[in-house]
Amino acid sequence: MSTPRGRQSRLTTSRAHSARVYDYILGGKDHYPADAEAGDAMCRHWPALPVHMTENRRFMHRAGRFLAEECGIRQFLDIGTGLPTSPNLHEVVQAAAPESHVVYVDNDPIVLAHARALLQSSPEGATAYVDADMHNPDAILGSQEFQDLIDLEQPVGLMVIGIMHFILPPDDHRLIGQLLDPLPPGSCLAMTIGTADFAPEEVNRVAQEYRRQGMPFVLRDLASATSFFDGLELQEPGVTQAHAWRPGPEQDGVDGRDVAMYGAVARKP
Ligand SMILES: C[S@@+](CC[C@H](N)C(=O)[O-])C[C@H]1O[C@@H](n2cnc3c(N)ncnc32)[C@H](O)[C@@H]1O
């Protein structure tokens, strides 16, 4: 596990952090009072936030399963992993293909502190955790963990789920490009992208609250979300709201106004 010196000392508990706010709203237990306060404020702005976050997480489950079962992908790079919440990506993909490798990446010291739970791989497969920032793709792609677990002769599933709203233009497209660049043809990009298209007032208030709490935040419309997949082959059904992408029975009755995420999977030709 990559743990650059001094990283543990970055842990600041007096201010809210996105991974812990997400954990709080999803009913986890790895957060501090500042995160709970921020989460409560956000839910006052938009009571549907727990539904939205749940559907984002469920998109990750379905997209991971799709890549493992239908695209035959056996190695995954997951950027912005979040705190361990079962099922984690490796549990989803190793249920389909136990030999799968997963490299997790996050920049939050509390995710690092809990990363052990992400390293409980199936015996046939392997998982690793890299403590790195998405703004530094070289640190991710150059890490020992990535090099040990990912064979660049074989396709890779690049998972960028629930993080792009923290990655501001103008760096956003370049960063995705840099992460995709070394991956061979047949690799896939699975992404969710925050939007205010369906509940503009409420979602913009949540965005303001994130910014007020010191977390950069950007929302994108359909055209802007779709542009991340330029040059790639979108898989059916294309870019949809997260809950509407290959929905299962869990999505029955989900109200589209409660989901502020686009999601899609696309293949590198
Ligand atoms: C909302 S959570 C999403 C977790 C998981 N991918 C999911 O969809 O369930 C966003 C995660 O991205 C991480 N994150 C935010 N900005 C990041 C950055 N610049 N580099 C790496 N991770 C980042 C946060 O620490 C947090 O764990």
Side-chain angles (χ1 to χ4, degrees):
M1 190 157 69
S2 240
T3 313
R5 232 163 4 149
R7 280 286 168 96
Q8 294 280 12
S9 63
R10 293 172 311 163
L11 181 53
T12 311
T13 57
S14 56
R15 285 180 55 194
H17 189 285
S18 60
R20 304 187 304 246
V21 172
Y22 188 62
D23 176 78
Y24 172 71
I25 293 176
L26 284 180
K29 33 181 198 7
D30 300 314
H31 49 262
Y32 294 92
D35 308 304
E37 253 171 60
D40 286 342
M42 289 168 192
C43 287
R44 279 194 296 277
H45 291 305
W46 192 36
L49 198 53
V51 175
H52 156 82
M53 288 184 172
T54 300
E55 288 306 318
N56 174 69
R57 186 81 188 168
R58 287 176 172 167
F59 173 93
M60 183 275 277
H61 299 157
R62 297 197 304 287
R65 212 173 296 125
F66 170 73
L67 293 176
E69 289 178 355
E70 298 190 38
C71 305
I73 298 219
R74 297 290 177 263
Q75 11 178 42
F76 296 82
L77 175 61
D78 182 46
I79 310 288
T81 295
L83 283 155
T85 305
S86 201
N88 297 293
L89 177 62
H90 71 280
E91 295 165 301
V92 171
V93 299
Q94 290 181 347
E99 70 275 28
S100 299
H101 288 188
V102 178
V103 176
Y104 289 113
V105 179
D106 205 288
N107 71 346
D108 182 5
I110 199 160
V111 179
L112 171 65
H114 288 262
R116 209 156 294 283
L118 299 168
L119 303 178
Q120 313 292 322
S121 171
S122 65
E124 305 90 331
T127 60
Y129 182 83
V130 181
D131 178 32
D133 197 296
M134 183 174 171
H135 291 96
N136 188 358
D138 289 344
I140 298 170
L141 301 169
S143 68
Q144 197 61 52
E145 288 80 0
F146 181 84
Q147 301 199 349
D148 286 348
L149 261 63
I150 304 292
D151 172 4
L152 288 173
E153 300 290 311
Q154 301 297 327
V156 177
L158 173 61
M159 312 292 288
V160 186
I161 311 290
I163 173 174
M164 285 315 287
H165 44 279
F166 301 122
I167 307 295
L168 305 186
D171 292 332
D172 47 0
H173 282 265
R174 176 181 57 78
L175 295 172
I176 295 293
Q178 275 181 260
L179 289 166
L180 272 176
D181 209 35
L183 309 185
S187 295
C188 288
L189 169 65
M191 243 179 149
T192 59
I193 300 139
T195 183
D197 284 358
F198 305 96
E201 275 179 32
E202 297 87 336
V203 174
N204 274 309
R205 281 204 301 267
V206 173
Q208 283 297 9
E209 187 64 36
Y210 269 100
R211 293 181 195 119
R212 207 177 63 75
Q213 303 273 350
M215 292 170 269
F217 206 91
V218 58
L219 294 159
R220 296 174 172 93
D221 63 14
L222 178 60
S224 170
T226 304
S227 67
F228 284 108
F229 302 97
D230 285 354
L232 304 175
E233 298 161 352
L234 275 168
Q235 304 297 292
E236 284 297 320
V239 182
T240 66
Q241 273 178 283
H243 69 290
W245 191 87
R246 295 177 178 253
E250 283 176 326
Q251 280 65 50
D252 283 353
V254 174
D255 184 331
R257 289 169 298 186
D258 294 347
V259 181
M261 276 296 180
Y262 286 114
V265 173
R267 183 180 178 280
K268 185 172 174 179

